[in-house]
Amino acid sequence: MSLRSFLSSRTGKNFYNICYCWGACLVILGAVLKIMHAPYDNLFLMIGLFTEVFIFFISGFDEPSREYKWERVYPILNDKNANTDPTVTKYNVKNVMNSTHSKALQQLNKNVETLNELYINKLNEMYEAQIKQLKNGASSADLQESTRKLADEIAVLNEKYKKMLETIN
C-alpha cells in the first residue's frame, strides 16, 4: 500500500490526526516546560517539533481536497453582470406566488391545513373517548384497546403526512 493510499484511508486519516494532535501537545508542553525551566524541557520541545516536522512532511503526500465546479450548478456565478439583489431578481418569492405555481401552492397549503385539522380532530376524539371511559370506570383492557386505536389512527395520519412530504420533495 502506498503512502498516498494509506493517508486517503480512514486508518491513515486517524493516524494523521493522532500524530498531529500529539505533536502539537508536545510542542506546547515543551514550550511550557522551557518557560518554567523544568527538567527535560528541551527533550519535550524537540520531540514535539520533530513530530510536527514529520506530520508536515507526510502531509505533502496527502491528496488535496476536491475542487467543485459550482458554476455548473449555479450558472449565475459565471455572469459578471448578474443581478444578485433579492428584491429585484426574477425568482423573487412574491413573483413565484403570483405565477402559475400559485394555484398549486394554494392547493398544497389547503391540503396540509385539512390534514392538520383531521389529525387534531382524531386526536381530540380519541382523547375524549378515553376520558369518558375513565369516568365510567372502564377496565385497563378497555383503556389499552382505545390507546391501541389511537396509536393506529396516528400511524395512518403519519403515513398521510409522509406521502405528502414525499410529493413535496
Side-chain angles (χ1 to χ4, degrees), residues 16-161:
Y16 182 78
N17 188 39
I18 290 170
C19 289
Y20 190 87
C21 292
W22 276 91
C25 287
L26 288 173
V27 167
I28 293 169
L29 179 65
V32 168
L33 292 175
K34 190 77 169 166
I35 291 170
M36 294 176 21
H37 301 291
Y40 306 110
D41 54 352
N42 288 332
L43 178 68
F44 278 104
L45 188 61
M46 293 313 291
I47 290 172
L49 287 173
F50 280 124
T51 305
E52 291 298 317
V53 166
F54 171 72
I55 289 299
F56 289 127
F57 176 76
I58 66 169
S59 69
F61 297 100
D62 194 14
E63 189 173 314
S65 62
R66 185 174 172 182
E67 295 289 328
Y68 295 102
K69 296 186 170 124
W70 290 107
E71 59 276 357
R72 287 185 179 174
V73 179
Y74 302 105
I76 197 168
L77 294 174
N78 282 336
D79 189 3
K80 301 252 189 277
N81 299 323
N83 184 7
T84 57
D85 184 8
T87 59
V88 180
T89 60
K90 68 178 183 177
Y91 296 111
N92 195 342
V93 173
K94 292 177 185 173
N95 294 340
V96 170
M97 290 303 289
N98 293 331
S99 70
T100 58
H101 300 294
S102 177
K103 291 179 184 176
L105 288 174
Q106 288 173 355
Q107 183 63 38
L108 181 63
N109 192 21
K110 182 180 169 187
N111 290 346
V112 170
E113 287 175 5
T114 305
L115 194 57
N116 283 339
E117 289 174 18
L118 178 66
Y119 196 74
I120 290 170
N121 290 340
K122 285 290 185 183
L123 287 176
N124 285 336
E125 287 175 17
M126 296 303 289
Y127 179 70
E128 289 171 6
Q130 283 183 341
I131 288 177
K132 284 181 185 176
Q133 285 178 346
L134 284 173
K135 285 182 181 177
N136 295 335
S139 67
S140 64
D142 292 337
L143 287 175
Q144 286 178 347
E145 178 63 23
S146 67
T147 304
R148 187 192 58 74
K149 286 180 182 177
L150 177 62
D152 291 342
E153 290 290 331
I154 290 173
V156 168
L157 290 171
N158 282 338
E159 279 299 315
K160 289 182 181 178
Y161 267 122

